[in-house]
Amino acid sequence: MAISQVTEVIRIRSKVLAEIARMAYEDCLEKDIGNMMDTIVSEDGPRYRCCVHKERAVLRQRINLTLSQPLHVTQEEAAAGALAGKVEDMPFISVLPEACDQCPIDKYMVTDACRNCLAHNCINSCPKQAILVVQNRAYIDKTRCVECGLCKKSCQYGAIIEISRPCERVCAVKAIVAGGDRKAVIDHEKCVECGACREACPFGAIGDRSLLVQVIRQIKSGKQVYAMLAPAFAGHFGAKTRPGQLVNAIKQLGFHEVIEVAYGADIVTIKEAKEFLETVPKSRPFMTSSCCPAFVSMVEKHFPDLKDMVSSTVSPMLAAAQIIKNNNPDAVIVFIGPCIAKKSEARNHSDLVDFALTFEELAAMLTGKGIDIDTIADSGFQSAASGTGNGFACAGGVAKAVQAAVAGLEPLAAVISHNAAGLENCAEVLTQIQSGRLKANFLEGMACYGGCIGGPGGLANVRVASKLVDNFAKQSTAKNALDNGPAQTDSEKPGHWHRQSKQ
């Protein structure tokens, strides 16, 4: 398996996940959970914090978050709760308080470039008189500073710099700030759980809670547990790993069946194309995609006046789950992909999807059970989805699929599509379309750069993964959704095909 930029943060997170998965499979989680402290953190190091006690405090919170249990309980209590199927009512993205303590809180700083010039533009521009000259150099009095940034703008030397925490800097919706105790605080009323802050934090102080143990518990209970693989799966487990090998490896984990979410993408493509033809421009000037839960959440929370522009069609994950439920109402359904936001979407649609895991968590399950994909036989897997359905994983893929379907349904219809990847870009494009500066009547919005393939729960470099997905998509028998007869038939069956806004 190919993993891009393996940092110490990723190593520790993967080790915790794999060890917990191993103990869950071997039925020794509650008994041996306490041993993880000595296994991962010892007096001999390696040391990332000030002392072994700090290391263990951080690890304790990381373990509890992985078990989806309260951060303050003991490891034994957390293990017992996870095995009992309990899940703490908490957001999927959380700050580990013990780990978050090493980022500076001062936003503006005077550097050695300050020459104590005669103009003193910084002093004159400050509305709070927070800048003084101390030892022949400007000094910012933090008790008066309101961090307006006027001093930085006025300094002709560029001697005043702005410092922002990595987590704050990457949050497009400004949902994370430094609290009074220097620890990051997430405003969950603004947060869309995209996971960008988790990836940006160099101290591993932000994590996503996992339902890995709860999934293994369902498998070991003998229930028919279905794995739904996101379209990005073809690009995240290495160029030498064949899809058939991955599918067989997942079945060795105990999953009853493996279903492609890309098949659900074909259904969504057909329905979104019909929705576009029915509503644009008759009842709305443009329509956006609805497959990315973080993008949809951003529109609903931060662009509420545009929420009616979002497609009413469910995401490919929910469409694929509906097909499974139609055939097996008692199925336990687990989505597996590179997306963290899918965890909250699954929580909000628990009638269809029981759990959501990332590729990182799937890799940990394989490691924990001692399964090496490279040694698994290739079953000669053939995708049930079209080429454009598999292309949903990459930026521009949804727009391409919908445009092809619209052209097939009504050749004279004019689709002016645009795709935006990254929430900042999505916000900018939404504003431009709304103001008329950008002419587009269909927008594909993706929270992650590169599209779903670039999700924070992935394993591979975006560029390499995109190429692998593209190669896999070209092998599909059906070129686009309208060529996929079974998907067209399933799209006409009864089911929950319309998403419900959470606002």
Side-chain angles (χ1 to χ4, degrees):
M1 290 181 290
I3 299 179
S4 177
Q5 293 185 317
V6 181
T7 65
E8 288 303 308
V9 171
I10 292 175
R11 287 193 183 96
I12 293 171
R13 190 168 64 228
S14 297
K15 192 170 185 178
V16 169
L17 284 167
E19 186 64 10
I20 287 177
R22 180 191 67 79
M23 289 188 288
Y25 270 115
E26 295 178 2
D27 294 320
C28 61
L29 180 64
E30 193 170 1
K31 177 172 67 72
D32 294 343
I33 189 71
N35 297 334
M36 282 188 67
M37 288 295 174
D38 296 325
T39 302
I40 299 177
V41 177
S42 67
E43 292 286 355
D44 299 327
R47 185 77 65 247
Y48 307 105
R49 316 285 172 175
C50 59
C51 64
V52 68
H53 305 292
K54 184 72 169 179
E55 296 276 14
R56 293 189 173 191
V58 172
L59 179 58
R60 184 177 296 109
Q61 291 186 342
R62 191 179 304 282
I63 291 171
N64 286 14
L65 189 64
T66 301
L67 295 171
S68 279
Q69 302 301 309
L71 298 184
H72 65 274
V73 302
T74 66
Q75 263 59 74
E76 290 74 16
E77 290 173 326
L83 290 172
K86 296 180 180 178
V87 176
E88 178 70 2
D89 185 16
M90 60 191 290
F92 278 102
I93 299 290
S94 297
V95 176
L96 302 177
E98 290 291 348
C100 182
D101 64 356
Q102 298 190 42
C103 289
I105 198 170
D106 298 337
K107 190 170 184 179
Y108 293 96
M109 296 182 63
V110 180
T111 68
D112 290 340
C114 178
R115 308 305 300 160
N116 187 20
C117 62
L118 294 177
H120 287 159
N121 291 325
C122 58
I123 295 177
N124 296 330
S125 67
C126 181
K128 297 297 181 180
Q129 298 182 329
I131 301 181
L132 313 170
V133 174
V134 178
Q135 296 182 344
N136 206 39
R137 176 173 157 179
Y139 167 80
I140 300 176
D141 182 350
K142 301 303 178 183
T143 63
R144 296 183 179 182
C145 178
V146 293
E147 298 183 346
C148 63
L150 291 176
C151 58
K152 176 180 180 294
K153 293 178 182 178
S154 68
C155 180
Q156 294 170 309
Y157 271 104
I160 300 177
I161 61 173
E162 180 180 359
I163 299 177
S164 61
R165 295 182 175 215
C167 57
E168 287 184 70
R169 190 164 56 247
V170 301
C171 184
V173 295
K174 308 302 179 187
I176 188 165
V177 296
D181 57 358
R182 298 185 61 183
K183 299 185 187 299
V185 177
I186 299 175
D187 183 347
H188 292 288
E189 294 298 314
K190 295 180 179 180
C191 178
V192 297
E193 298 189 298
C194 65
C197 57
R198 190 199 75 158
E199 294 304 284
C201 179
F203 300 106
I206 300 175
D208 60 312
R209 66 179 177 88
S210 174
L211 294 170
L212 180 147
V213 170
Q214 289 81 354
V215 170
I216 294 174
R217 174 177 166 270
Q218 293 291 317
I219 291 173
K220 291 178 71 66
S221 72
K223 295 180 181 179
Q224 293 187 339
V225 183
Y226 287 70
M228 294 197 311
L229 279 179
F233 83 92
H236 276 272
F237 290 85
K240 295 182 180 180
T241 300
R242 306 300 301 165
Q245 289 179 291
L246 178 60
V247 169
N248 285 344
I250 291 173
K251 288 183 178 179
Q252 287 190 20
L253 287 173
F255 285 93
H256 174 69
E257 192 57 81
V258 179
I259 303 296
E260 295 172 276
V261 172
Y263 183 80
D266 279 340
I267 295 174
V268 167
T269 298
I270 295 168
K271 288 191 170 293
E272 282 200 346
K274 291 179 178 179
E275 182 183 353
F276 175 87
L277 290 170
E278 291 170 359
T279 64
V280 179
K282 298 181 183 71
S283 59
R284 52 183 171 180
F286 70 96
M287 186 179 96
T288 81
S289 59
S290 59
C291 56
C292 174
F295 168 73
V296 172
S297 182
M298 183 193 75
V299 174
E300 292 179 344
K301 289 184 175 183
H302 301 276
F303 293 85
D305 54 328
L306 294 180
K307 66 180 182 181
D308 290 337
M309 305 302 153
V310 180
S311 168
S312 65
T313 303
V314 297
S315 70
M317 176 184 79
L318 298 179
Q322 181 65 67
I323 297 303
I324 297 174
K325 287 290 189 182
N326 285 347
N327 297 322
N328 185 356
D330 297 325
V332 176
I333 299 177
V334 182
F335 170 86
I336 305 174
C339 180
I340 289 177
K342 284 293 182 185
K343 294 184 177 186
S344 55
E345 185 183 12
R347 174 192 58 203
N348 295 335
H349 297 87
S350 57
D351 57 324
L352 287 175
V353 182
D354 297 279
F355 304 97
L357 299 176
T358 62
F359 286 148
E360 183 180 46
E361 290 166 318
L362 174 60
M365 290 176 70
L366 293 168
T367 301
K369 207 168 189 298
I371 297 174
D372 183 358
I373 296 181
D374 296 334
T375 65
I376 302 294
D378 181 7
S379 61
F381 180 80
Q382 177 62 49
S383 176
S386 71
T388 56
N390 281 301
F392 259 55
C394 304
V398 179
K400 180 180 178 181
V402 173
Q403 195 159 11
V406 169
L409 293 170
E410 194 172 313
L412 297 180
V415 182
I416 307 172
S417 66
H418 191 88
N419 67 281
L423 288 179
E424 285 188 357
N425 292 332
C426 290
E428 182 179 353
V429 169
L430 280 171
T431 302
Q432 290 177 345
I433 294 177
Q434 187 179 29
S435 65
R437 286 180 290 146
L438 177 64
K439 301 299 181 183
N441 57 15
F442 182 81
L443 171 64
E444 171 199 310
M446 293 289 186
C448 298
Y449 294 100
C452 298
I453 200 79
L459 300 171
N461 174 275
V462 173
R463 186 176 60 180
V464 173
S466 296
K467 183 63 177 176
L468 292 174
V469 169
D470 185 54
N471 291 339
F472 179 69
K474 289 176 181 177
Q475 299 172 22
S476 297
T477 303
K479 184 178 180 180
N480 58 55
L482 295 181
D483 296 331
N484 191 338
Q488 287 205 63
T489 300
D490 279 336
S491 71
E492 299 299 327
K493 291 180 179 179
H496 298 91
W497 303 117
H498 295 281
R499 67 179 188 86
Q500 297 297 317
S501 172
K502 295 301 171 184
Q503 298 297 304

